[in-house]
Amino acid sequence: MVWLRGRSAPTGSDRRQLILPGLSQGPKAATPPAEVALQCARGRLLLGAALLGLGFMAIVFRLVTVTVGQPWGEPASKTSSVEARDWLRADITDRHGFVLATTLPTVSLCADTKQILTVEDTLKGVKGIFPDIDPARLEKDLAKGGRCVMLRRHLTPAQQKQVNNLGLPGLEFLHDARRVYPTGALTAHMTGYTDIDGHGLAGLERGLDKTLTQENAAVVTSIDIRLQQLLHHQLETTMKKFRAIGAAGAVMDIKTGEILALSSLPTFDPHQPGQASAEAKFNRATLGVYELGSVFKLFTVAAALDRGVIKPSQSFDATKPLQVGKYRISDFHPENRWMNVPETLVYSSNIATAQIADRLGAQKLHSSFDALGLLKPATLEIPEIGKPLVPPTPWKNITTMTAAYGHGLAVSPLQILGGLAALSGQGQFVAPTLLHKKRVAAGETVFKPETVQRMRALMRLVVTHGTAKSAEAKGYMVAGKTGTAEKVTAKGYDKNSRIASFAGVFPIHAPRYALFVMFDNPQGTKETYGFATAGWVAAPAAGDIIARAAPVLGLAPLDAEDEAIAEQILFKPIQSLVAGLPKDNTVSPVHKETEIHKETKTQKPQDTHAPVTTASAR
Amino acid sequence: MNRLARYDQSPLGRWWWTVDRWTLALLTVLIGLGLMLVQASTPAIAAARDLPNYHFIKNQLMVLLPGLLLLLGVSMTSPRSIRIIALFGFLASLLMLIAVIFWGQEVKGATRWLVVPLLGTFQPSEVMKPFFIVTAAWLFARHTRHMGFPALETNIIFAVITALLLLAQPDVGMTMLVMVVWFGQFTLAGLPLILLSLAAVLGAAGVLVAYHIFPHVASRIDRFIDPASGDTYQVDRALEAFSAGGLWGKGPGEGTVKMHLPDAHADFVFAVAGEELGLFWCLVIVAIYVAIIARGLWRLRGEKSLFITLAVGGLLAQFGVQALINMASALHLGPTKGMTLPFISYGGSSLLSMCILFGMLLGLTRKRYDKTEF
């Protein structure tokens, strides 16, 4: 400190020296004190100037960053208003770029109460253009005052012009934007919707909220809008015909896991989610979990074959209902004979399937179901994912035996698709996705190639010889399994209330697409002789969908000769067993829809061994 | 054009050849930009307040013309006269500050304005600043030479009275600014750095106290630290304005931020500059401030008078710090603070104050051939 030099030996009497340098006037001072003070001031002045300089440098740096962005990186946002920035929400498109959700700039009308002439005139003018507004409420809002009292969101250009023509002062337009779904209700369960300020509330809008707001590129989904349309239409038609309360369906590419179409009916208008019922907004395809019945026999048989517990030719005693403790398992329309594995599936025998599961054992069945993704929630890019209802482990004997044919276990339709892919594709579990992927998804291997070969043949047999005959789409080699399950009500299983479903794969000689359709509580019609089982409801719907979807997917139909050859190749591993099956109408849906589960009348399932499952879980 | 020859010995001729013509030129550019920005930013505000279109620019010019005359007049007087003007100006300002407490006009919760018949409203605290700086410089410098007069005590008493009067309004920001400059001068005059640190600690404590006493201070600081805690409308709009302006701006008068900012013509005039003139001219404005300060320091290089060094240092600090704080709050580098951007913001008192400031600065930095010490 310079000033100290000018201060010679401070004394008690010269206290001021301690404070200011110029005071030191002692005779011993080498430099005149005024000079010392000046030097001190100069030095410190430079220091102060340097500090100010730093301040100005900070200003310059900040100026550059806020005006033209950070010099080292990202450019500054090009948008000029807060609203527009908040609304920078990317489009959602189908796999071919068809827009499913987009953001349109709009204007909103607000009033500056400091500038409006009178509340009455303003209200009168606005009411003339928007007859549906509530003047009492607006009057209250305007009375409160404010620089921007919102009068109306999202004006059309015509309405904006009308407001301008009013020539009223104090009416101002705000830049706004709204989310528009060109495909509306058709894709509402996938796109979901946003709130009025553009925050994702459901579906992809919610699940991919971050991506949609942070990245500028459109989100390309796996959906093919053409397939979506025909799936939706067919589900709707069948649903009406059988007076079902709901339906769900999905088509998946089993190589990539891409969901090509996914529908849940009834559906809703995503522009006005507030007016839709909870029922309509409920996604049955992904969020609903249902006991799906015989479809599960495919998984049980595959697990048993894969682990070598049974051979296809092995026969099981289905001559009489199976008594397990106090429970009795019976077939819907009993054949009352021994059945081998193909017959078990073709006749959909609960008794035989239960015995197969018994041989396999609880643990192995559980681990196979788990590997097929049937026991844990599916993963998908939307938040509406249902948690399957699974009986607590360890599974008892009876639990294992009923789970084997899809009873006492509720899963979502989405989970079935993942399992079907493992069953018929490469033996690997394929996680479904709603995003368009070029890469083939590699999942965990569940089944050996040999098992997959056998399962393809068995699934095809169900369509050619069994309950799913009407699922056939000529030339497209459909394979699959029907399932009819009684719905669980508060009083136990309701014999007159069903879930009818079909799970299939096509074309089975070169498996590529998995399909699942499901109808909630269909009612029989005169045409179906009062039947509302899957063979009557779900299988024909699936057949119609495949017949129209295949050309869209670029599949060429096989002619009769090629089909015969393909079938021969397919059936080769179980040749001798197929020969024993009568090819004609032996198993007509009317008589042989041998579906689900018969408990003894006195014992309701949820009393003891099965979890309380509701078919349409809310 | 050389009407004034080197040998011209008239007062005007002597003034012209001794005054810092660089600073004069820089001030001219700054004032020109300021007028343009005031005219650009005020019609929207005039419309909002039901005032005629040219209300604000007329007011500004009404102050600017006498202000410039005052500037030139003061700059022509000698340093000796300047400090006498300053002392009386300061004492008069103190009286007016006291008057404000009793007869002031309250605007937005603060009583800062005196209503002067015919002339309109007037903010004594603005005008007080340059007078106080020069008076303080005089007392600090006098202290080194005159044992008999209790200069330091007087100085401290003046400072305390000023601070209390400003806090009474309340005007926390102005108090801080005045105190920072005063302590700066004190430091130049040799305040031991240990005492300066103590003052800084006390200052920080003062801010904390202000934070708890004055709700508007608390809210401004909260909003700066955590923008989510309250309405950051003004700052958000200001930042958008800079972003919208880009490198070259939208052109004078073309901006929209002034439609949204009630203080576009005063506290946030820099945002209007950013939007309409663009980064380049904002940098020019910053460069002009820096150049004026640098020029002032340069003129001090051979100065033998401690008084002049302290006074000019203080005036430059006042000018620089005020500009910095205004720009920093418009750029969200600091909490929003009602402080004007010298010569650019709209505001008569502020403009008048700056004219007095630069009148004295130019007068004190004129070349003197008599090396009399002051």
Side-chain angles (χ1 to χ4, degrees):
Chain A
M1 284 184 286
V2 180
W3 68 278
L4 280 172
R5 271 191 271 121
R7 180 169 60 90
S8 60
T11 60
S13 64
D14 197 6
R15 291 180 61 85
R16 274 189 193 153
Q17 279 181 321
L18 286 170
I19 302 171
L20 292 182
L23 286 172
S24 61
Q25 292 177 334
K28 285 175 199 160
T31 340
E35 188 64 24
V36 174
L38 202 59
Q39 274 173 17
C40 163
R42 286 239 178 90
R44 291 185 176 187
L45 196 58
L46 284 181
L47 201 70
L51 278 177
L52 268 185
L54 277 180
F56 278 106
M57 272 164 68
I59 294 287
V60 166
F61 184 76
R62 177 75 174 166
L63 253 178
V64 172
T65 49
V66 301
T67 28
V68 289
Q70 287 145 359
W72 60 85
E74 297 164 44
S77 160
K78 291 275 180 260
T79 52
S80 64
S81 88
V82 178
E83 292 89 352
R85 195 163 53 218
D86 284 352
W87 261 102
L88 206 83
R89 198 174 176 84
D91 288 0
I92 301 174
T93 73
D94 89 336
R95 62 193 298 117
H96 302 301
F98 191 92
V99 175
L100 306 181
T102 188
T103 301
L104 292 183
T106 63
V107 292
S108 291
L109 179 66
C110 74
D112 181 346
T113 53
K114 284 196 179 161
Q115 289 190 28
I116 59 174
L117 297 177
T118 63
V119 172
E120 295 74 48
D121 285 354
T122 310
L123 275 182
K124 211 176 128 200
V126 172
K127 177 102 177 126
I129 299 170
F130 312 105
D132 56 324
I133 59 165
D134 174 8
R137 218 198 72 228
L138 270 189
E139 200 174 343
K140 229 172 81 191
D141 287 352
L142 287 172
K144 268 188 253 162
R147 299 307 301 264
C148 183
V149 177
M150 190 58 74
L151 299 178
R152 180 86 170 192
R153 294 290 292 264
H154 309 312
L155 274 65
T156 63
Q159 288 169 332
Q160 189 182 7
K161 181 163 184 291
Q162 281 175 298
V163 172
N164 276 328
N165 286 347
L166 285 178
L168 287 173
L171 289 182
E172 281 167 17
F173 298 113
L174 287 180
H175 291 294
D176 210 337
R178 74 180 303 178
R179 201 69 168 155
V180 175
Y181 305 93
T183 47
L186 179 61
T187 50
H189 283 294
M190 280 174 297
T191 59
Y193 46 87
T194 67
D195 66 9
I196 196 159
D197 293 315
H199 306 114
L201 291 185
L204 289 171
E205 296 278 29
R206 170 90 176 265
L208 299 180
D209 199 35
K210 256 195 172 160
T211 319
L212 288 167
T213 48
Q214 288 173 0
E215 279 164 37
N216 233 344
V219 168
V220 180
T221 63
S222 55
I223 297 301
D224 185 322
I225 195 66
R226 302 166 300 174
L227 280 185
Q228 178 70 19
Q229 165 67 22
L230 64 89
L231 170 72
H232 184 89
H233 181 251
Q234 186 60 53
L235 290 179
E236 203 170 32
T237 310
T238 305
M239 192 175 131
K240 269 188 193 145
K241 187 170 161 194
F242 292 96
R243 286 165 289 149
I245 58 166
V251 180
M252 184 176 95
D253 183 327
I254 60 173
K255 285 195 174 146
T256 58
E258 289 172 292
I259 301 282
L260 300 170
L262 184 140
S263 265
S264 168
L265 281 96
T267 179
F268 63 100
D269 180 359
H271 300 108
Q272 290 175 325
Q275 292 174 17
S277 66
E279 171 84 3
K281 283 193 276 189
F282 183 78
N283 191 336
R284 287 163 198 269
T286 61
L287 182 56
V289 293
Y290 307 90
E291 290 195 21
L292 291 172
S294 304
V295 167
F296 268 73
K297 288 174 185 158
L298 292 177
F299 303 129
T300 306
V301 167
L305 285 173
D306 193 65
R307 291 173 192 259
V309 176
I310 56 166
K311 288 189 192 114
S313 57
Q314 203 163 343
S315 285
F316 303 91
D317 179 9
T319 52
K320 55 182 186 300
L322 188 63
Q323 194 72 35
V324 183
K326 49 190 173 177
Y327 306 99
R328 204 173 58 162
I329 295 170
S330 55
D331 287 345
F332 191 59
H333 278 287
E335 284 286 307
N336 295 329
R337 62 181 177 87
W338 285 69
M339 287 186 192
N340 60 23
V341 173
E343 286 167 337
T344 299
L345 288 175
V346 165
Y347 298 109
S348 200
S349 168
N350 296 339
I351 301 168
T353 310
Q355 291 172 59
I356 292 171
D358 196 33
R359 267 184 214 204
L360 186 59
Q363 216 185 343
K364 286 178 182 165
L365 187 72
H366 186 278
S367 83
S368 284
F369 278 9
D370 198 31
L372 290 165
L374 297 170
L375 304 183
K376 49 187 177 273
T379 53
L380 202 65
E381 292 78 7
I382 57 177
E384 294 86 6
I385 297 296
K387 192 167 177 280
L389 298 172
V390 182
T393 47
W395 285 358
K396 291 181 200 160
N397 237 4
I398 180 69
T399 312
T400 313
M401 289 164 99
T402 55
Y405 56 89
H407 174 72
L409 180 70
V411 301
S412 71
L414 187 65
Q415 287 173 278
I416 297 289
L417 288 175
L420 280 178
L423 211 64
S424 57
Q426 303 298 314
Q428 290 167 333
F429 173 74
V430 179
T433 175
L434 274 173
L435 297 180
H436 187 29
K437 280 184 185 165
K438 299 251 153 50
R439 206 164 48 83
V440 173
E444 208 178 311
T445 301
V446 186
F447 296 128
K448 300 184 192 105
E450 190 194 9
T451 311
V452 174
Q453 286 294 336
R454 284 172 169 168
M455 287 314 295
R456 288 178 186 167
L458 291 172
M459 284 164 79
R460 176 65 183 164
L461 276 181
V462 178
V463 174
T464 53
H465 294 73
T467 51
K469 284 204 183 73
S470 46
E472 175 68 326
K474 204 158 172 42
Y476 296 116
M477 297 286 285
V478 182
K481 181 82 190 78
T482 54
T484 309
E486 285 162 10
K487 277 176 77 172
V488 180
T489 64
K491 291 178 184 169
Y493 287 92
D494 181 351
K495 279 177 78 176
N496 295 315
S497 179
R498 311 177 179 77
I499 298 280
S501 62
F502 174 80
V505 176
F506 64 95
I508 197 64
H509 62 286
R512 184 68 199 271
Y513 302 104
L515 166 83
F516 184 81
V517 292
M518 180 199 94
F519 297 91
D520 190 349
N521 201 8
Q523 306 298 317
T525 66
K526 214 173 156 190
E527 263 175 78
T528 64
Y529 315 102
F531 283 94
T533 50
W536 285 100
V537 178
D544 283 353
I545 291 165
I546 294 168
R548 281 183 290 143
V552 171
L553 292 167
L555 296 178
L558 301 184
D559 59 24
E561 198 179 331
D562 286 346
E563 201 171 277
I565 294 168
E567 245 168 38
Q568 254 178 20
I569 298 169
L570 201 61
F571 291 152
K572 212 172 173 188
I574 51 170
Q575 187 78 56
S576 54
L577 305 174
V578 175
L581 286 171
K583 174 108 192 187
D584 58 350
N585 256 353
T586 336
V587 190
S588 92
V590 185
H591 306 295
K592 299 297 183 211
E593 179 63 38
T594 60
E595 297 294 316
I596 199 116
H597 187 79
K598 284 281 197 169
E599 296 283 331
T600 46
K601 295 260 156 67
T602 49
Q603 290 290 335
K604 297 303 170 199
Q606 63 268 48
D607 293 342
T608 48
H609 72 279
V612 180
T613 53
T614 45
S616 48
R618 290 300 123 92
Chain B
M1 88 129 239
N2 234 346
R3 295 259 178 88
L4 294 172
R6 279 279 183 186
Y7 47 79
D8 191 334
Q9 284 298 307
S10 69
L12 196 63
R14 258 190 307 201
W15 174 81
W16 177 252
W17 293 115
T18 53
V19 81
D20 183 9
R21 290 179 302 281
W22 272 106
T23 303
L24 267 184
L26 290 166
L27 283 179
T28 312
V29 178
L30 200 56
I31 289 168
L33 284 171
L35 283 179
M36 186 166 84
L37 286 168
V38 166
Q39 179 48 31
S41 59
T42 52
I45 295 156
R49 295 189 191 169
D50 261 344
L51 295 168
N53 224 355
Y54 295 106
H55 170 84
F56 287 97
I57 192 78
K58 265 187 198 158
N59 273 4
Q60 189 81 342
L61 283 171
M62 293 280 277
V63 180
L64 183 62
L65 296 179
L68 285 178
L69 285 178
L70 193 62
L71 187 157
L72 296 177
V74 173
S75 73
M76 285 180 187
T77 54
S78 69
R80 230 177 263 276
S81 331
I82 286 176
R83 67 188 185 195
I84 290 169
I85 293 172
L87 179 62
F88 283 102
F90 172 63
L91 293 174
S93 306
L94 281 188
L95 288 179
M96 286 190 288
L97 282 176
I98 294 167
V100 161
I101 295 176
F102 296 106
W103 300 290
Q105 187 188 23
E106 188 175 320
V107 177
K108 294 179 196 165
T111 315
R112 296 176 188 171
W113 303 86
L114 270 187
V115 181
V116 184
L118 301 177
L119 289 177
T121 55
F122 175 70
Q123 193 178 355
S125 56
E126 280 284 355
V127 180
M128 176 274 297
K129 287 188 287 187
F131 292 141
F132 178 54
I133 290 165
V134 174
T135 307
W138 187 11
L139 290 170
F140 280 127
R142 192 172 181 79
H143 187 75
T144 65
R145 296 192 300 139
H146 297 265
M147 293 291 291
F149 179 68
L152 186 62
E153 287 81 347
T154 314
N155 208 344
I156 291 173
I157 289 168
F158 277 175
V160 169
I161 290 176
T162 308
L164 288 178
L165 285 173
L166 289 177
L167 281 176
Q169 295 190 352
D171 194 341
V172 178
M174 182 81 86
T175 315
M176 281 176 58
L177 178 63
V178 168
M179 285 299 110
V180 162
V181 173
W182 186 76
F183 269 102
Q185 286 181 297
F186 205 160
T187 311
L188 293 187
L191 177 69
L193 292 182
I194 189 98
L195 288 182
L196 179 68
S197 321
L198 195 66
V201 170
L202 285 177
V207 171
L208 270 180
V209 170
Y211 183 91
H212 288 292
I213 292 183
F214 303 111
H216 74 281
V217 176
S219 125
R220 279 179 181 172
I221 291 174
D222 285 346
R223 275 182 282 162
F224 174 65
I225 293 170
D226 176 17
S229 69
D231 178 22
T232 54
Y233 179 81
Q234 296 221 24
V235 168
D236 288 344
R237 289 296 153 124
L239 290 180
E240 271 169 40
F242 283 107
S243 171
L247 187 54
W248 295 109
K250 293 178 167 178
E254 298 294 317
T256 56
V257 68
K258 58 206 181 195
M259 315 283 184
H260 307 293
L261 285 183
D263 278 337
H265 59 321
D267 299 1
F268 282 95
V269 76
F270 200 49
V272 176
E275 188 180 22
E276 306 199 345
L277 304 181
L279 174 64
F280 177 80
W281 283 98
C282 281
L283 291 177
V284 167
I285 291 173
V286 175
I288 291 174
Y289 285 122
V290 172
I292 287 174
I293 294 166
R295 191 64 207 167
L297 290 173
W298 180 250
R299 294 289 282 205
L300 280 184
R301 73 197 186 286
E303 186 56 63
K304 292 273 185 274
S305 160
L306 185 61
F307 159 64
I308 289 183
T309 308
L310 295 180
V312 172
L315 293 172
L316 288 175
Q318 151 75 38
F319 173 72
V321 170
Q322 189 173 331
L324 262 185
I325 290 179
N326 177 287
M327 293 190 285
S329 60
L331 286 165
H332 202 213
L333 276 178
T336 49
K337 175 66 220 93
M339 214 166 270
T340 53
L341 192 56
F343 287 114
I344 294 202
S345 289
Y346 170 80
S349 305
S350 156
L351 188 58
L352 199 62
S353 166
M354 280 295 153
C355 285
I356 295 169
L357 190 154
F358 272 92
M360 299 204 286
L361 186 125
L362 287 171
L364 292 173
T365 56
R366 275 169 65 190
K367 276 185 201 137
R368 282 174 294 111
Y369 299 101
D370 56 332
K371 291 292 178 189
T372 333
E373 257 201 65
F374 297 98

